[in-house]
Amino acid sequence: AQAVRKADAPPAPAAPPAPPAAAPLDREKRLLILQSMTRRINQERDFARIPEMILDTALNAIGAQRGFILGGEGGFSVLTARNMEGGRIRNPEGEISFSIARQVVETGLPVMTEDATADGRFMDNLSVRNLSLKSVLCVPLPGASGVIGAVYAEDRQRAKAFAEDDLWFMSMFAEHAAVALENGRLRSEIERRGRDLDRLNAELAEKVARQAESIADLEIRVRAAGAEGGGRFPGIVGAGPAMQKVYALMERIAASEAPVLIVGRSGTGKELVARGIHSSGRRKDRIFAAENCAALTETLLESELFGHEKGAFTGAIETSKGLFEIADGGTLFLDEVSDMSPGLQSKLLRVLQEGEIRRVGGKAAIRVDVRAISATNRDPEELVKSGTFREDLFYRLNVLKIELPDLKDRREDIPLLVRHFLDRISKDGERRELTREALDLLVSWDWPGNVRELQNEVLRAAALGGRVIGVLDLSPRIAEKRPAAEERGGLDLGERVKALETELIREALSRCGGNKSKAAQTLGLSRFGLQKKMERFGIQ
């Protein structure tokens, strides 16, 4: 409809006179031309060239000045428009009578007029008058499921330019042309889908190879470990020698009932170890309670541990049990026990010696059966020497002792921990990854905050980097700890540039899921240019 409106617009400026049409050929020569066209079209791989080849053949065979091939959705889109010299016609939608073409496409019958401006069928059409059409020959293109378009030829200077022989030839010609167009379209679609399939297969292969490279060592280590906590203590991640020693000691301690003291810096996982011991011992079906002794004031901590009677202090509106009573038969974990006040240290010692407590404000002794596991991030022996921690309490707590290593002393476990944290935040089966360089930086960092600091870093980087986490997604203090100049090629400019380009290409490929086209666009390169650089730098 849009094309018809364009054709029925006010008269366009008169076009320069067209050259005289060539004389039509006889039937034998036309058949030879048709045979030659069919052979050439069947060999043509570019579908866009087929309509042009068809139209040039038709114009040459019937001696028309200009012609159009219509097709596409509805059969009314101009696929090509040519003149006798083989040149393209500009703005073809305004140079054709769509009213004639529409009649042919809708009825499936050919139309030939000796002089359209004097033909009662068409003389009132605006497009016919505006274009001053004389001879017009238009035949349908019969497809497998109906008319798919039309071949339209015209001569604006001569009346009776086309004869019945031209109509015969064009009708026969259109049948071959329609088959060629449909076959060409199908061949083009098959080739396009084949290219798409090749591209997708290549992208998939690149992605699989890249992911295999970035996580192969992690998978090997996870399989070697068997499971979290060496397969015995879920939640604790580590497979290196330092953690293997911890696991072995935890197993022996879990079978005992003696108090345990866990020593380790903040963030090393002291509470996880305490829970692991509890869940592997005979008390595993009873309560595990935990309290951070450094987080409460002396008064609140005493009430929290031992409970209080109603009215014992302002706000004590009812009697409340403490953690020792709540954990009766189970385990009580006292984190940062070295931060207890001297007064509370004395009361804790009495509980451990006598196995009974007194609530705040109460007089009755209450028997409790609790296994005490305590922890500190400081050296307890130094605290005893300094007089800030009771020596007798230290010996009561330090019956069995576990020393947890700093994360920097077990760097081999960092990839496992990173994988563990990433898997915990992955959704809908989407696997998050780190680039090789980003993982290397995490492994080389000293982690003063230990595992807790690493976990926070991974969560932060995942929020910024999405599915693939690169160096630029890490905290600046870590990202800036890249190899020094001498490690990256010294002061040799060529080597430094090569190292930088290699790093940027790997980063772009990781961010783009291994898709070279997208990576090239990100880097401001052509795909061919990226491929050449990858070959030169040995990037797989």
Side-chain angles (χ1 to χ4, degrees):
Q2 182 179 2
V4 173
R5 287 197 294 273
K6 288 183 179 180
D8 292 340
L25 303 174
D26 59 36
R27 285 195 173 191
E28 182 178 353
K29 290 183 178 179
R30 287 176 173 178
L31 291 176
L32 290 175
I33 289 174
L34 179 59
Q35 183 182 25
S36 175
M37 179 204 73
T38 303
R39 183 172 57 254
R40 287 186 292 112
I41 287 176
N42 287 336
Q43 297 172 349
E44 179 60 50
R45 311 307 298 175
D46 183 2
F47 175 70
R49 282 277 302 137
I50 294 178
E52 295 181 354
M53 295 169 65
I54 291 173
L55 189 54
D56 287 343
T57 302
L59 295 181
N60 181 54
I62 65 174
Q65 284 184 339
R66 59 175 60 193
F68 305 77
I69 288 190
L70 304 178
E73 188 175 355
F76 292 107
S77 297
V78 177
L79 301 182
T80 188
R82 316 273 284 177
N83 57 36
M84 189 63 186
E85 288 72 34
R88 293 183 180 180
I89 297 175
R90 295 183 179 181
N91 304 318
E93 288 80 6
E95 296 293 321
I96 183 175
S97 173
F98 276 97
S99 55
I100 294 177
R102 181 181 296 278
Q103 177 178 322
V104 171
V105 172
E106 291 181 349
T107 63
L109 299 175
V111 165
M112 184 175 73
T113 176
E114 297 178 345
D115 185 347
T117 57
D119 191 325
R121 296 174 297 172
F122 310 116
M123 58 188 300
D124 293 332
N125 294 343
L126 286 176
S127 59
V128 172
R129 297 201 305 268
N130 291 340
L131 298 173
S132 300
L133 294 180
K134 293 293 184 180
S135 300
V136 176
L137 175 56
C138 185
V139 295
L141 289 167
S145 57
V147 177
I148 63 172
V151 181
Y152 176 107
E154 66 177 34
D155 190 316
R156 297 189 184 181
Q157 294 181 333
R158 297 180 300 155
K160 300 181 180 181
F162 306 124
E164 290 295 327
D165 212 38
D166 297 317
L167 178 60
W168 165 81
F169 172 77
M170 287 294 286
S171 297
M172 180 181 62
F173 174 87
E175 293 182 5
H176 289 268
V179 172
L181 285 171
E182 288 202 315
N183 287 345
R185 180 185 59 79
L186 291 174
R187 187 167 61 244
S188 177
E189 179 66 16
I190 291 172
E191 290 174 352
R192 184 191 65 79
R193 292 187 179 185
R195 289 192 299 270
D196 289 344
L197 183 60
D198 290 342
R199 176 180 56 80
L200 291 174
N201 285 336
E203 290 177 0
L204 180 60
E206 290 175 3
K207 184 176 181 180
V208 169
R210 184 192 60 79
Q211 290 182 339
E213 178 186 357
S214 64
I215 66 173
D217 58 331
L218 303 186
E219 299 292 352
I220 292 173
R221 291 171 188 244
V222 170
R223 288 196 296 270
E228 295 177 8
R232 302 180 292 276
F233 303 102
I236 306 175
V237 178
M243 289 306 297
Q244 292 297 339
K245 291 180 181 179
V246 171
Y247 299 145
L249 187 54
M250 288 175 65
E251 283 188 330
R252 294 198 298 271
I253 289 176
S256 170
E257 287 289 300
V260 182
L261 178 62
I262 304 172
V263 179
R265 294 184 185 275
S266 179
T268 52
K270 296 186 289 294
E271 183 171 342
L272 282 176
V273 171
R275 288 183 181 274
I277 293 171
H278 168 78
S279 62
S280 298
R282 70 172 184 84
R283 298 173 182 261
K284 62 183 179 181
D285 296 327
R286 307 302 294 270
I287 289 177
F288 175 89
E291 183 60 72
N292 188 326
C293 299
L296 301 175
T297 64
E298 179 179 359
T299 302
L300 288 177
L301 181 60
E302 181 181 6
S303 175
E304 190 72 14
L305 294 177
F306 308 124
H308 60 262
E309 297 290 346
K310 180 178 180 181
F313 50 82
T314 303
I317 58 176
E318 60 183 1
T319 298
S320 175
K321 291 183 178 181
L323 291 178
F324 272 101
E325 285 186 77
I326 293 173
D328 187 30
T331 302
L332 176 60
F333 174 60
L334 300 174
D335 197 8
E336 306 306 344
V337 69
S338 58
D339 287 352
M340 268 189 177
S341 67
L344 277 181
Q345 290 182 32
S346 176
K347 293 179 180 179
L348 176 59
L349 177 62
R350 186 175 65 248
V351 173
L352 296 176
Q353 289 177 332
E354 301 174 5
E356 60 183 28
I357 63 162
R358 287 185 174 83
R359 296 174 183 158
V360 177
K363 295 181 180 180
I366 301 173
R367 298 292 300 177
V368 291
D369 175 21
V370 174
R371 184 179 191 183
I373 301 179
S374 54
T376 178
N377 62 5
R378 294 187 280 178
D379 185 344
E381 295 183 10
E382 289 297 323
L383 295 175
V384 170
K385 291 178 182 179
S386 66
T388 57
F389 198 73
R390 293 181 60 120
E391 184 176 14
D392 48 1
L393 177 59
F394 168 70
Y395 289 123
R396 276 287 180 180
L397 295 175
N398 192 37
V399 177
L400 299 171
K401 183 180 180 181
I402 296 179
E403 295 187 26
L404 297 184
D406 288 349
L407 187 55
K408 67 180 180 180
D409 295 327
R410 56 182 188 108
R411 297 182 190 274
E412 67 277 4
D413 290 332
I414 290 177
L416 289 176
L417 287 162
V418 171
R419 179 76 270 153
H420 173 73
F421 297 140
L422 288 177
D423 287 344
R424 286 177 60 182
I425 61 176
S426 295
K427 297 179 180 178
D428 302 325
E430 181 185 25
R431 190 181 182 89
R432 297 172 183 261
E433 304 293 345
L434 265 79
T435 64
R436 172 68 62 181
E437 187 182 14
L439 182 58
D440 289 345
L441 285 175
L442 294 182
V443 172
S444 65
W445 189 249
D446 282 342
W447 303 110
N450 290 291
V451 178
R452 186 180 295 116
E453 182 186 359
L454 174 63
Q455 180 180 16
N456 291 341
E457 179 64 28
V458 172
L459 295 179
R460 175 190 179 279
L464 296 176
R467 193 187 63 79
V468 178
I469 301 169
V471 172
L472 298 180
D473 301 314
L474 302 179
S475 299
R477 71 186 191 284
I478 298 176
E480 291 169 1
K481 191 184 177 183
R482 294 185 174 187
E486 57 271 17
E487 299 177 57
R488 297 161 61 116
L491 295 179
D492 185 298
L493 182 60
E495 289 300 318
R496 292 288 300 281
V497 171
K498 177 181 176 181
L500 179 59
E501 286 191 275
T502 300
E503 175 185 318
L504 291 175
I505 289 172
R506 290 187 185 279
E507 184 90 5
L509 288 170
S510 295
R511 285 181 175 273
C512 297
N515 186 310
K516 292 181 181 178
S517 297
K518 291 182 180 179
Q521 185 177 6
T522 300
L523 293 166
L525 300 172
S526 66
R527 194 181 192 281
F528 177 76
L530 174 61
Q531 185 66 45
K532 297 299 290 182
K533 285 182 178 291
M534 290 178 65
E535 292 174 0
R536 187 163 72 250
F537 299 153
I539 300 174
Q540 300 298 322

